[in-house]
Amino acid sequence: MVSVDEELTRLRKENELLRAQLALYQQSQQSSVGAATVAAPAAATKVLEKPALVKQAAVDGGIIWPKPGEAFWERSPRTSPMPLQGGAADAPPVERDANPMHIIHITAEMAPIAKVGGLGDVVTGLAKAALARGHFVTVMLPFYECLPKDQIEGLKHECDIEVPKGYRWDGEIRVGPLKTSVYWGRVQGCPVYLVKPADDTNCNIFRGGRIYGGSYNEMEAYLYFCRACLEYLSVSQQNPHVLQLHDWHAAAASMLYWDVYNPTGVNRTRLMLTIHNLDNTGETRQDEFFFTGVPGENFATIDKALDERTIGHNPERLNLMKGGIVYCNAITTVSPTYATEVLNGGAAGWLRSTFARPELRSKFHGILNGIDCEEWNPATDALLPANFDADRPAGKALCKEFLQKGLGLEVDPRKPLVAVVSRLVPQKGIHLIKAALLRTVEKGGQFVLLGSGHSDPAFRQLADGQFKDHPNCRLKIMYSERLAHMIYAAADVVVVPSMFEPCGLTQMIALRYGAVPLVRRTGGLADTVFDVDGPAAGPAQPRNGFVFDGSDDGALHGALDRALTLYNTQPARWAALQQDNMRLDVSWGKSAKSYVDVYRSISA
């Protein structure tokens, strides 16, 4: 253990070095005033600040260095905030739309209070972006028992309503009223309605310690939720321009809306279904659909919601995603390439015959997601030990040192730090994540994994065996939003080797935090990452990362080797790449405008 005297001596020497470096830096800044500007790439004109200056900022900002074995991500990394002001830290002005619209989102997730995957991030990011453009936006969300109520501003009970619901009683299914409570509050400035059964002692819907996988029947819960949302809007006489339904959890609302609440089409409200992932489509029995109070037989035809895979079975089943596709006025998905893969490739799976119908193809749009640039901003992120941006990038080196110390890795700024932040499920390319781990360590780099899921046992085994206490590898089989922020800020490379990826937010966050993305070319990854060694492209396709096409280890190795070689042999080019990436617009600005265009097209 280091003694107090030894630590004081080290700090004195470091402080003397900091003062000398700061004096040299100030002299160079003064001598450069009035000098002629030499043409150079934007990022290359401001490569990295002196590392010592970063440490001076750290001393001034009061960094609390992690101790061995500490869960450092659970507390603040410094004694006081040290956000950057001005420059790239400032958000660009937001365009305001004329003739604002009333938009209501119906969703099972909303970040940060009810986040499991990217769905929650998208709902919050899009809602906030549309609000910023001047529209009236509200989110309707289940009032899960596990929601952190302290993160819901102004939470209050709005009213109680009677929601028609199907029940099983003495071997029969009957319809009766279920008293339902509606609450109101704000989440990150966005108005939210929260819906749950009023008597949650005798009804376990939305009870439990997590969003999914509670003690209740999820199909029953989300069918009830769809009916409850529509019933509340009817009772409160709200008539929004657009109801935006997210994934299968909310898709039944479109079927109920046209069958029960607006069968003649006289109300102005129109419906949009946003498909975040076709991996889960909401297959349900016809008798289960009766939990809505409406017989499932009403929708059990091929042109409506019948699941073709069950034709001839006893009983035949419904599919909620298909019903949403058929009944909604517009369908969107979360990237242009994924939309193409759905319509013309194999991404639609058994739904390809549904998407082959001309009247459905014509209302399908691919709109790229953005990220919430207030939430994900390295210049102001309070979870980082040092803030940075494209104009002042040196704080990233300190973030790397902080993570290396915190995770017990060898502290070496020269080693490339390769990271994966992901759910550990087959979609995410489990074998390729393992290949990236082994290759990175083999090539002398460091590898950090943060994630969990039903495919994580293999990584738990590696963490407890081959890579236990390894100086260049740390596998954190867990979920932590706080640690994710720190990893993005520290990483040199972020690997996203998905087998399919409707959009993906990881690669956009990596760009924002100066971590160069390495991705498999599919879905939204193909729309956002363009190979640094690829052909020259325009502003819409900046060469900002590394891309591979295959699904074997060799394909990943080729891209990863190129990334590590560039990092090790061309540090100035690497630094310029990082800084240029941090200047890219990955916000919701453009995407929100595209959504507004679709809103207007169906509500005109």
Side-chain angles (χ1 to χ4, degrees):
M1 179 178 292
V2 178
S3 69
V4 174
D5 289 341
E6 289 173 330
E7 181 67 9
L8 285 173
T9 300
R10 185 189 70 79
L11 289 172
R12 287 192 190 102
K13 289 181 179 179
E14 184 179 81
N15 203 30
E16 289 172 3
L17 177 61
L18 292 171
R19 291 178 183 278
Q21 292 285 355
L22 180 59
L24 289 172
Y25 177 77
Q26 289 172 334
Q27 290 173 10
S28 68
Q29 290 294 96
Q30 292 170 358
S31 64
S32 67
V33 174
T37 302
V38 179
T45 63
K46 297 178 181 176
V47 181
L48 291 176
E49 302 169 37
K50 300 293 184 183
L53 296 181
V54 185
K55 294 198 174 187
Q56 179 66 55
V59 172
D60 293 344
I63 281 209
I64 307 171
W65 289 97
K67 300 175 182 178
E70 177 193 7
F72 59 91
W73 56 88
E74 294 180 355
R75 48 86 172 168
S76 175
R78 55 192 180 222
T79 57
S80 59
M82 194 175 58
L84 302 180
Q85 303 295 330
D90 289 345
V94 177
E95 179 183 352
R96 302 280 290 187
D97 295 326
N99 303 317
M101 304 180 71
H102 183 190
I103 312 299
I104 293 180
H105 296 264
I106 299 181
T107 176
E109 295 185 34
M110 182 186 187
I113 63 169
K115 176 184 172 180
V116 175
L119 168 59
D121 289 306
V122 171
V123 169
T124 304
L126 176 56
K128 289 171 64 175
L131 276 169
R133 297 183 72 90
H135 300 279
F136 177 47
V137 183
T138 309
V139 174
M140 301 194 77
L141 180 74
F143 201 155
Y144 301 105
E145 183 180 38
C146 61
L147 291 190
K149 299 177 182 61
D150 60 328
Q151 295 184 36
I152 306 171
E153 180 185 352
L155 180 63
K156 65 178 183 179
H157 179 254
E158 185 78 5
C159 68
D160 287 338
I161 59 174
E162 300 289 346
V163 175
K165 186 183 182 300
Y167 294 88
R168 286 193 175 93
W169 182 263
D170 196 24
E172 297 180 359
I173 298 182
R174 303 176 182 178
V175 177
L178 177 60
K179 187 177 181 180
T180 295
S181 294
V182 180
Y183 293 77
W184 182 93
R186 289 184 182 272
V187 175
Q188 296 196 349
C190 183
V192 181
Y193 289 119
L194 298 149
V195 178
K196 69 170 185 175
D199 181 8
D200 52 14
T201 59
N202 295 315
C203 179
N204 68 348
I205 287 177
F206 302 136
R207 298 286 304 275
R210 52 186 178 176
I211 303 303
Y212 302 130
S215 60
Y216 55 89
N217 179 328
E218 285 189 2
M219 182 58 67
E220 176 185 9
Y222 290 116
L223 288 171
Y224 152 75
F225 173 63
C226 289
R227 183 68 191 261
C229 289
L230 295 175
E231 190 67 22
Y232 172 71
L233 294 178
S234 176
V235 169
S236 61
Q237 298 183 333
Q238 295 192 50
N239 197 21
H241 292 93
V242 175
L243 283 179
Q244 185 165 355
L245 317 178
H246 294 272
D247 267 353
W248 72 265
H249 317 86
S254 63
M255 302 154 69
L256 297 170
Y257 177 74
W258 293 113
D259 195 70
V260 178
Y261 291 92
N262 193 17
T264 62
V266 295
N267 294 341
R268 75 174 183 179
T269 301
R270 295 297 178 261
L271 277 65
M272 170 192 288
L273 174 67
T274 297
I275 298 172
H276 297 261
N277 195 331
L278 279 170
D279 208 26
N280 297 299
T281 58
E283 181 183 339
T284 182
R285 301 192 311 272
Q286 293 180 40
D287 64 304
E288 281 184 309
F289 192 88
F290 199 66
F291 286 130
T292 65
V294 176
E297 290 82 356
N298 293 6
F299 308 99
T301 59
I302 290 179
D303 62 321
K304 293 183 178 180
L306 183 66
D307 190 327
E308 288 99 318
R309 296 172 298 179
T310 67
I311 292 177
H313 293 195
N314 186 18
E316 295 177 336
R317 299 165 75 90
L318 303 179
N319 187 275
L320 300 181
M321 191 79 88
K322 178 184 174 181
I325 293 166
V326 170
Y327 276 83
C328 280
N329 303 94
I331 315 156
T332 62
T333 194
V334 291
S335 72
T337 294
Y338 188 62
T340 299
E341 292 170 353
V342 168
L343 292 179
N344 304 320
W350 70 272
L351 283 168
R352 60 185 175 272
S353 60
T354 301
F355 281 106
R357 291 161 56 176
E359 73 276 15
L360 302 184
R361 292 177 69 92
S362 64
K363 62 181 183 180
F364 191 44
H365 310 267
I367 302 175
L368 189 67
N369 284 339
I371 62 171
D372 185 340
C373 288
E374 292 181 3
E375 171 72 14
W376 296 104
N377 185 357
T380 59
D381 193 335
L383 299 177
L384 306 186
N387 294 109
F388 58 93
D389 63 11
D391 296 330
R392 294 153 291 184
K396 186 170 175 66
L398 189 57
C399 292
K400 182 175 179 178
E401 181 181 352
F402 186 91
L403 189 76
Q404 287 174 326
K405 288 184 175 180
L407 294 180
L409 299 172
E410 179 185 352
V411 178
D412 186 346
R414 297 167 299 177
K415 285 183 178 287
L417 181 61
V418 178
V420 170
V421 179
S422 176
R423 290 184 297 116
L424 297 178
V425 295
Q427 173 200 341
K428 300 300 182 179
I430 297 299
H431 67 292
L432 294 175
I433 294 175
K434 182 178 179 181
L437 183 170
L438 298 174
R439 190 67 163 189
T440 297
V441 174
E442 176 190 342
K443 291 290 184 177
Q446 294 182 327
F447 187 89
V448 173
L449 167 68
L450 174 65
S452 62
H454 57 257
S455 296
D456 65 31
F459 293 101
R460 291 185 186 276
Q461 185 176 14
L462 289 170
D464 295 334
Q466 181 179 354
F467 292 102
K468 185 177 182 179
D469 300 325
H470 197 286
N472 292 315
C473 179
R474 197 63 70 238
L475 308 177
K476 304 297 288 185
I477 313 303
M478 55 182 284
Y479 171 81
S480 171
E481 190 83 357
R482 297 175 65 91
L483 183 54
H485 279 249
M486 294 178 175
I487 291 174
Y488 286 120
D492 297 301
V493 178
V494 168
V495 178
V496 192
S498 304
M499 293 295 96
F500 69 94
E501 193 64 70
C503 180
L505 303 180
T506 300
Q507 77 280 12
M508 293 190 234
I509 298 170
L511 291 168
R512 179 82 163 151
Y513 279 64
V516 178
L518 187 156
V519 308
R520 184 172 177 274
R521 197 192 319 266
T522 182
L525 301 175
D527 292 319
T528 50
V529 181
F530 308 95
D531 201 282
V532 297
D533 297 322
Q541 295 185 353
R543 290 184 286 181
N544 56 10
F546 296 87
V547 182
F548 66 98
D549 290 291
S551 57
D552 60 298
D553 291 2
L556 179 135
H557 289 168
L560 183 56
D561 289 355
R562 287 190 294 116
L564 298 178
T565 298
L566 180 62
Y567 176 90
N568 288 319
T569 63
Q570 300 184 55
R573 185 184 172 195
W574 186 272
L577 175 62
Q578 289 179 300
Q579 291 172 258
D580 285 343
N581 284 355
M582 283 190 275
R583 291 189 175 92
L584 296 175
D585 183 5
V586 291
S587 73
W588 272 102
K590 294 178 182 177
S591 300
K593 184 179 186 304
S594 297
Y595 271 104
V596 170
D597 290 342
V598 179
Y599 296 155
R600 294 201 191 282
S601 74
I602 62 176
S603 61

